Amino acid sequence: MEKMIPSRLATLGHPQRLAIFRLLMRRYPDRLPAGELAEVLGLKASTLSAYLSALMQARLVTQERVGTSLRYAIDMTEVRHTFDYLLLDCCRGRPEVCSPVSLPQVTGTTAMSDPKYKVLFICTGNSARSIFAESILRKEAGDRFDAYSAGTKPYSELNPFALEVLEQKGHDISDMRAKNVSEFHGEDAPRFDFVFTVCNQAANEDCPAWEGQPVSAHWGMPDPVQVEGTDAQKSLAFHQAYGALQNRIKAFTALPVSSLDRISLQRAVDDIGAAQTGASA
């Protein structure tokens, strides 16, 4: 392990290799195709291939073939070994010197500043999926959670098919609006306990860290707004998105949140995002 550390630090010392590493960390435990990495980071295929090769040689990233596509993910075991070496060996196990001062203790239970957990769902447009998630959580467990949603590039209006689904499901949409995620940064913003991205584009964006380091996960799913065809086909896509989010949120609200330590809770919300939940609604 000690022999690998200089190579890993040198590999991450390159800005674009570090950008790939950070993107894959944001999307962990997802495996991303090379095409998506290249598109998000604006890299040529040959350049990306060279950078990925260096990251794999340093054993920071793994490669897996899925059909005809090569997909990449963080090698979390090796990354943890690297952090262990830096924090335990280099710092001689002195947490008062080396532990990140801004992070909560990962072994404790999740701290609550208010009677309810605050949850933020983020998408790009904040016109359908994140609005669905906010509405479903309020209906499923509004006595235990305060739900919010926002977009990184919100549309001016909510999608009419999304509003139709919400009305059919009995949600109050009178105060629903598309909001920019910037509304939730600043001194007066809510302090979130959980932050979930529900579309790949939002998850891929390099956004500022959230105050208090909330538990976060990526619950990506296809965008119903992009579906083409008849109104019936479009409506079906929105119903399927609603159903998939409803299943995930039901699994989330069933978690014994107050009794789980942070590591267990993070693993649980990651598993919910990775599960192929059904889309019946």
Side-chain angles (χ1 to χ4, degrees):
M1 171 54 62
E2 184 174 353
K3 294 180 179 179
M4 291 293 299
I5 298 300
S7 171
R8 290 177 180 175
L9 295 179
T11 299
L12 294 176
H14 187 283
Q16 289 179 309
R17 288 196 293 260
L18 179 61
I20 296 169
F21 179 82
R22 295 180 70 232
L23 174 56
L24 290 174
M25 283 293 288
R26 290 198 299 276
R27 291 291 302 274
Y28 181 82
D30 291 356
R31 289 189 169 275
L32 301 191
E36 183 172 347
L37 291 169
E39 180 181 359
V40 172
L41 298 173
L43 296 173
K44 294 181 179 179
S46 58
T47 303
L48 175 68
S49 178
Y51 291 156
L52 286 170
S53 177
L55 288 164
M56 288 188 292
Q57 189 173 355
R59 296 169 60 185
L60 293 168
V61 168
T62 62
Q63 178 192 79
E64 181 179 290
R65 181 172 292 279
V66 179
T68 60
S69 173
L70 292 175
R71 296 178 180 259
Y72 300 87
I74 289 293
D75 188 331
M76 192 57 71
T77 298
E78 292 300 323
V79 170
R80 286 174 178 148
H81 287 332
T82 303
F83 291 157
D84 283 348
Y85 177 82
L86 294 173
L87 297 177
L88 299 179
D89 190 284
C90 293
C91 294
R92 292 293 185 257
R94 296 179 60 190
E96 76 281 4
V97 174
C98 291
S99 63
V101 296
S102 61
L103 290 178
Q105 293 295 319
V106 296
T107 55
T109 55
T110 303
M112 288 185 62
S113 55
D114 295 307
K116 294 183 178 181
Y117 290 104
K118 290 181 169 55
V119 185
L120 176 64
F121 297 97
I122 301 175
C123 200
T124 305
N126 192 212
S127 69
R129 287 167 290 180
S130 53
I131 290 289
F132 281 167
E134 176 186 1
S135 301
I136 293 167
L137 183 56
R138 286 182 178 179
K139 188 174 181 179
E140 292 287 338
D143 58 329
R144 295 188 294 121
F145 296 90
D146 283 328
Y148 305 81
S149 69
T152 57
K153 298 180 181 67
Y155 296 114
S156 58
E157 296 181 355
L158 302 184
N159 186 282
F161 286 98
L163 292 177
E164 182 181 354
V165 170
L166 290 173
E167 288 182 324
Q168 290 176 5
K169 301 298 181 182
H171 295 279
D172 180 6
I173 61 173
S174 58
D175 62 345
M176 286 291 176
R177 64 182 179 89
K179 303 167 290 298
N180 194 294
V181 71
S182 63
E183 290 189 24
F184 297 104
H185 286 286
E187 294 182 359
D188 297 330
R191 188 182 179 93
F192 293 108
D193 300 288
F194 299 90
V195 175
F196 299 121
T197 50
V198 292
C199 70
N200 291 349
Q201 187 173 343
N204 290 340
E205 294 185 21
D206 190 5
C207 298
W210 291 96
E211 183 72 22
Q213 294 292 326
V215 174
S216 61
H218 178 52
W219 291 356
M221 61 180 55
D223 184 3
V225 176
Q226 300 299 319
V227 172
E228 298 180 353
T230 66
D231 283 355
Q233 291 171 321
K234 293 177 181 178
S235 179
L236 175 61
F238 280 86
H239 277 279
Q240 290 174 332
Y242 179 97
L245 280 165
Q246 185 179 50
N247 288 340
R248 286 178 174 175
I249 289 170
K250 284 183 176 180
F252 171 62
T253 58
L255 295 174
V257 175
S258 61
S259 62
L260 291 176
D261 62 50
R262 186 179 176 90
I263 292 176
S264 300
L265 191 55
Q266 182 66 65
R267 184 179 299 114
V269 296
D270 282 341
D271 288 345
I272 290 172
Q276 296 296 317
T277 52
S280 60

